[in-house]
Amino acid sequence: MTRVLVVDDEPQILRALAINLRARSYDVRTAGTGTEALAVAVDHAPELVVLDLGLPDLDGTEVIARLRTWTSVPILVLSGRSDSTDKVEALDAGADDYVTKPFGMDELLARMRALVRRLGPAEDEPATVLLGESTIDLAARKVLRDGVEVRLTPTEWHLLEVLVRHPGRLLGQKRLLDEVWGPGYENAHGNLRLYMGQLRRKLEPDPGRPRHLLNEPGMGYRFEP
Amino acid sequence: MTRVLVVDDEPQILRALAINLRARSYDVRTAGTGTEALAVAVDHAPELVVLDLGLPDLDGTEVIARLRTWTSVPILVLSGRSDSTDKVEALDAGADDYVTKPFGMDELLARMRALVRRLGPAEDEPATVLLGESTIDLAARKVLRDGVEVRLTPTEWHLLEVLVRHPGRLLGQKRLLDEVWGPGYENAHGNLRLYMGQLRRKLEPDPGRPRHLLNEPGMGYRFEP
DNA sequence: CCGCGTCCTAACAGCATCCTGACGCCGGTG
DNA sequence: CACCGGCGTCAGGATGCTGTTAGGACGCGG
């Protein structure tokens, strides 16, 4: 049963697609926004992503790029824009196919079959990020430091994931707290400091003088590869 | 320099495509008929085939099918027919993408890039896996431990199979429950714990201190060979 | 009907993880 | 110099998760 993640902001299209795909015995998960799509992709590890470009919160190519930082799952883009530059952008960002609305359901299904047939079984790939002497394998959820495995707790993983997926960028504390702890923890700065310290102790060569998990006083934190 | 085979029966289109692709530094070979295309494919082992469906001698799906008998090279189909059934036929015959004429050159190039990016031979997985002193034969559904056969119940097999098929990777409990028990059991964590314990008792040398069927608290389980 | 194997639910002790609060450090400021 | 906000660190109790055991429900062949 192939796991498919369908992303679209229009509920009726989402429902129609889900019903059609489930009738073909796909295992369907849905998402209505870009951030939700990224979260579901982590949890569910789909074998195919069907992605509408007109999302309310994130740009389509942004979603593709973020997925591509850690997974090579095939991505089929749906879009109302038939403009050529949109297609080129999406495909070069890492998408594997591009279908313009309105589309025929049987054509969409055929293209999905083609993608899964070609790329579905090939699921394994390191997809690893370097952090000093440590290598972070996002897909396997494993960290190796000098060859030995380092154990991270769920919250530590969650925080590290958010940082690593935006290399070099400064992430504000409110943003980090919201992504890792969810709403209601916007003022739990002590929490953030605590887990950042644990990550440094487990990953940095000299936790007292961090070189990759950096703090900008008053602003937030930054992952520097 | 990527080797591309371009197949089209109209000489001017063939020439235009070849010039454009060579300008992007592709290594281009051309063919005007289906039989010629098959011959050139054998000689030059292209990394991508751009195939027009309206050939004089052979049907398009026939060319695709014959190529697929011996090679898994990506095939991009060009066609004047925008009919949905044609697309489905070509894609199901083994094509990887389908572009209708008239097409934009930059879109075609982007789709070619997307296909070539996915290059890479698919490696086949071994039929038997080692787990400590036990050998697991996936195909025969048998487990031998110190030479004697170990009996596993269907559910135990199912769970072990999912774990073993992703060696070294951490699989979330939701994912495992979904794969083994199907939808509706996403919260039956006790079940998962129970069967994991039974697998450990039957396979691990010291079930109290597992070394191959590992748990990461709060996240899921991992098979380590 | 009974025995048998398998699957599922419930419960509990032990433990890892999480959160909270407190403390010391540091640089900037009046 | 005293004060303050931001940061890193430490310890303790609450919470949640894990492994394990026991027992009932179900299907199946004798």
Side-chain angles (χ1 to χ4, degrees), chain A:
Chain A
M1 209 185 213
T2 312
R3 292 185 304 279
V4 182
L5 168 59
V6 182
V7 190
D8 200 309
D9 60 330
E10 297 175 72
Q12 63 259 37
I13 294 188
L14 208 52
R15 250 176 36 112
L17 278 173
I19 291 172
N20 255 296
L21 294 180
R22 291 209 174 95
R24 268 83 179 180
S25 63
Y26 284 93
D27 180 5
V28 182
R29 300 297 151 117
T30 60
T33 67
T35 50
E36 188 188 352
L38 293 169
V40 175
V42 171
D43 280 348
H44 197 236
E47 292 157 82
L48 173 65
V49 175
V50 178
L51 174 68
D52 184 294
L53 279 196
L55 296 177
D57 55 340
L58 289 178
D59 188 50
T61 56
E62 176 77 12
V63 178
I64 298 172
R66 291 214 200 157
L67 283 170
R68 280 288 172 263
T69 59
W70 66 277
T71 180
S72 66
V73 59
I75 300 176
L76 191 155
V77 168
L78 285 180
S79 172
R81 312 257 210 100
S82 62
D83 194 20
S84 167
T85 58
D86 289 318
K87 299 186 188 178
V88 174
E89 267 179 30
L91 290 168
D92 280 341
D96 294 290
D97 203 344
Y98 191 108
V99 177
T100 56
K101 302 183 195 176
F103 54 86
M105 184 56 69
D106 45 359
E107 177 187 346
L108 178 69
L109 289 166
R111 287 186 182 272
M112 288 174 59
R113 282 195 296 275
L115 282 178
V116 172
R117 179 212 315 143
R118 168 73 65 175
L119 305 167
E123 188 187 319
D124 285 302
E125 209 171 323
T128 160
V129 181
L130 294 177
L131 188 151
E133 317 152 358
S134 312
T135 64
I136 305 166
D137 189 336
L138 277 312
R141 271 194 151 59
K142 205 192 285 189
V143 170
L144 269 69
R145 178 173 176 176
D146 299 326
V148 290
E149 193 172 333
V150 180
R151 266 177 54 74
L152 297 186
T153 73
T155 320
E156 287 164 4
W157 260 111
H158 208 329
L159 178 57
L160 180 64
E161 237 177 289
V162 176
L163 287 165
V164 156
R165 287 195 183 146
H166 303 276
R169 279 187 53 179
L170 174 69
L171 299 172
Q173 342 216 10
K174 188 205 161 293
R175 166 94 182 273
L176 288 169
L177 285 164
D178 199 37
E179 286 230 34
V180 178
W181 280 268
Y185 279 80
E186 289 91 6
N187 290 40
H189 286 205
N191 228 318
L192 188 51
R193 279 180 268 151
L194 178 66
Y195 280 90
M196 198 64 63
Q198 294 191 347
L199 278 181
R200 291 207 258 246
R201 197 173 332 130
K202 291 186 179 180
L203 299 177
E204 290 272 6
D206 182 358
R209 258 154 246 144
R211 286 175 14 185
H212 305 101
L213 300 170
L214 308 176
N215 165 261
E216 314 254 338
M219 304 266 101
Y221 291 85
R222 175 205 308 280
F223 163 65
E224 198 66 42

Side-chain angles (χ1 to χ4, degrees), chain B residues 35-55:
Chain B
T35 49
E36 188 189 353
L38 292 169
V40 176
V42 172
D43 282 348
H44 285 276
E47 293 156 83
L48 173 66
V49 175
V50 178
L51 175 67
D52 185 292
L53 280 194
L55 296 176

